[in-house]
Amino acid sequence: MTQPSFSSPEAAPTIRLKPKANARAIRHGAPWVYDNELVIDRRTKSIAPGTIARLEDAERNFLALVAVNPNSRIFARVLDRDAAAQIDEAWFAAKFAAALAHRETLYEAPFYRLIHAEADGLPGVVIDRFGDTAVVQPNAAWADILIEPLVEALRTVTGVTTVVMNGTGRARGLEGLEETTEILSGAVEGLIPVPMNGATYMADLMGGQKTGLFYDQRPNHGFAQRLVKGKKVLDVFSHVGGFALASLAGGAESALSVDSSAAALELAEKGAAAMGKSDAFATRKGDAFDVLAALAEEGESFDVVICDPPAFAPSKPALEKGLRAYERVARMAAPLVREGGYLGLCSCSHAADLDKFRGACNRGIGRGVGHLGRSAQLIHTGFAGADHPLMPQLAESGYLKALFYRIVS
């Protein structure tokens, strides 16, 4: 993508809110401006995607420096509220230093989400760290264009030697960006062992999903470990071993991982081997719903069942269908839980808020075990870890929900 001309804030083009647009929201921290909130003319439509622009209210008062993309419904993303700010390597370095200080407060080892997009002041940018390697997801046009100063600042501040750009996923499509994955610095030599909650996960940075591993479930893995000692555990939609490996690290007698991806299950097996837990670990490849049905037919039961599916409701149009899918998961999983056992149900869907997700799970559990004379106690609600901060003005940054139930008579 060609770098738009931008040498200083004074040289930046100007875009303006409509008179009825909510300028107060921007002043109070809202990070996005939609196309229907702006005065759109031939000039603004011709601004190159990724250009840094000045955002003004209807009275021509400066509001923020923003990154513009006329091809996206999110026309502008707030970068800085200082009219004199330079969006350069030093600017990136300041953002990284602030983010790094928080993560180093939280974690002893350098394995975490370093940048969580808008919440860390870099809209559309996700960076996960794996020791001396970082994986960058530039999911907005401005970050694609400024990837070079971003990477230089990242290396300088954190000391990482290898940087991978993972330019894949739905978000880039919405920005009109091409999908590409490449090594921008250093080299990736095989899988990276990632320690988390006493377990070992194997991250495939070049061929795995998104950045190669999901850090967001770390606190929910930790809570699950309190339930599993000496227990038989089922982990559905397991990916690379998620809750299963955490359960083995927490003292589970056995764990079964279910996933549709043979590659993900192979990584889970390697993680179990690295932990010395292969004898207690098993996998089952297949569609999760089909496997849940088969386990029921086989008369299987477990002390702890945890289901962590992909986003069934990634957008508002998909919400109702997604909620039905979450209800179906709960309905099929609940009967597999032994009396007095535990059921964990998770959602990473932006569109399904906590109330809607909890309602779907409650209905599903009722349908699944009500006729057996059982009911459920909701014992814990979990969210993403503190390395995935929530931006109060942006509900979408708080996407992950985890509900833990106890199944009782």
Side-chain angles (χ1 to χ4, degrees):
M1 187 176 290
T2 303
Q3 168 77 54
S5 60
F6 173 67
S7 56
S8 68
E10 293 77 18
T14 298
I15 60 174
R16 190 168 295 116
L17 292 178
K18 291 179 179 178
K20 292 184 179 180
N22 190 0
R24 180 179 296 179
I26 299 297
R27 293 191 178 96
H28 288 179
W32 294 347
V33 184
Y34 290 97
D35 53 5
N36 61 1
E37 298 177 287
L38 292 163
V39 176
I40 303 293
D41 55 22
R42 184 178 300 175
R43 179 189 62 83
T44 54
K45 286 181 179 179
S46 67
I47 296 175
T51 297
I52 311 302
R54 292 170 53 90
L55 175 66
E56 295 180 348
D57 64 17
E59 287 74 42
R60 299 178 183 269
N61 299 305
F62 174 81
L63 292 173
L65 289 177
V66 295
V68 171
N69 187 350
N71 299 327
S72 172
R73 184 162 177 256
I74 303 173
F75 195 103
R77 300 171 186 263
V78 173
L79 298 181
D80 206 297
R81 298 174 194 281
D82 179 359
Q86 297 276 356
I87 312 302
D88 54 15
E89 186 176 331
W91 183 86
F92 280 112
K95 299 290 186 184
F96 291 142
L100 181 63
H102 171 55
R103 276 67 180 185
E104 289 184 335
T105 298
L106 295 171
Y107 307 112
E108 293 183 3
F111 296 89
Y112 42 67
R113 172 150 294 183
L114 175 66
I115 295 294
H116 193 50
E118 282 77 1
D120 281 305
L122 294 175
V125 178
V126 168
I127 303 177
D128 283 344
R129 183 174 184 178
F130 303 88
D132 62 1
T133 299
V135 180
V136 181
Q137 285 188 299
N139 294 327
W142 76 278
D144 232 31
I145 290 168
L146 296 178
I147 193 69
E148 290 186 9
L150 183 157
V151 168
E152 286 306 307
L154 177 64
R155 295 175 62 196
T156 299
V157 172
T158 66
V160 300
T161 55
T162 297
V163 179
V164 176
M165 185 182 87
N166 184 314
T168 62
R170 177 175 176 270
R172 284 180 65 85
L174 295 175
E175 283 277 299
L177 301 173
E178 295 180 355
E179 291 204 359
T180 179
T181 297
E182 59 181 305
I183 298 173
L184 302 179
S185 172
V188 176
E189 298 178 358
L191 306 176
I192 294 181
V194 177
M196 190 159 53
N197 290 316
T200 300
Y201 298 91
M202 306 305 290
D204 180 359
L205 305 190
M206 301 303 295
Q209 288 188 33
K210 297 192 176 180
T211 64
L213 192 73
F214 298 106
Y215 285 123
D216 52 3
Q217 288 282 21
R218 187 190 323 237
N220 301 316
H221 290 165
F223 179 80
Q225 288 179 320
R226 299 164 63 181
L227 311 175
V228 301
K229 189 172 183 179
K231 305 292 180 61
K232 181 180 178 182
V233 177
L234 172 64
D235 179 13
V236 186
F237 305 98
S238 176
H239 191 227
V240 298
F243 283 94
L245 298 185
S247 295
L248 292 175
E253 177 185 277
S254 66
L256 172 62
S257 279
V258 175
D259 202 271
S260 61
S261 168
L265 291 177
E266 182 179 349
L267 291 174
E269 289 171 343
K270 290 180 178 179
M275 297 165 59
K277 297 288 187 179
S278 293
D279 290 346
F281 182 65
T283 64
R284 188 156 172 170
K285 180 182 178 298
D287 174 82
F289 294 107
D290 291 343
V291 174
L292 286 171
L295 289 171
E297 290 176 4
E298 294 161 14
E300 286 280 7
S301 64
F302 301 84
D303 300 295
V304 179
V305 176
I306 301 174
C307 300
D308 183 18
F312 287 145
S315 61
K316 288 184 179 179
L319 177 58
E320 291 307 315
K321 182 179 180 180
L323 290 175
R324 289 194 297 272
Y326 287 123
E327 181 178 336
R328 185 184 178 199
V329 169
R331 175 175 58 80
M332 297 182 72
L336 297 175
V337 181
R338 294 169 180 168
E339 187 174 336
Y342 298 94
L343 173 64
L345 300 168
C346 307
S347 166
C348 59
S349 293
H350 294 287
D353 64 22
L354 178 59
D355 286 343
K356 290 185 174 64
F357 174 60
R358 185 171 51 214
C361 293
N362 292 347
R363 290 191 299 273
I365 293 171
R367 292 179 62 195
V369 298
H371 66 286
L372 302 175
R374 296 181 183 177
S375 61
Q377 301 166 328
L378 178 59
I379 61 167
H380 178 74
T381 301
F383 302 96
D387 55 343
H388 291 63
L390 168 64
M391 186 178 196
Q393 300 88 353
L394 188 66
E396 288 86 346
S397 60
Y399 62 96
L400 183 66
K401 290 81 61 177
L403 304 177
F404 288 85
Y405 295 85
R406 184 166 181 254
I407 305 300
V408 296
S409 58

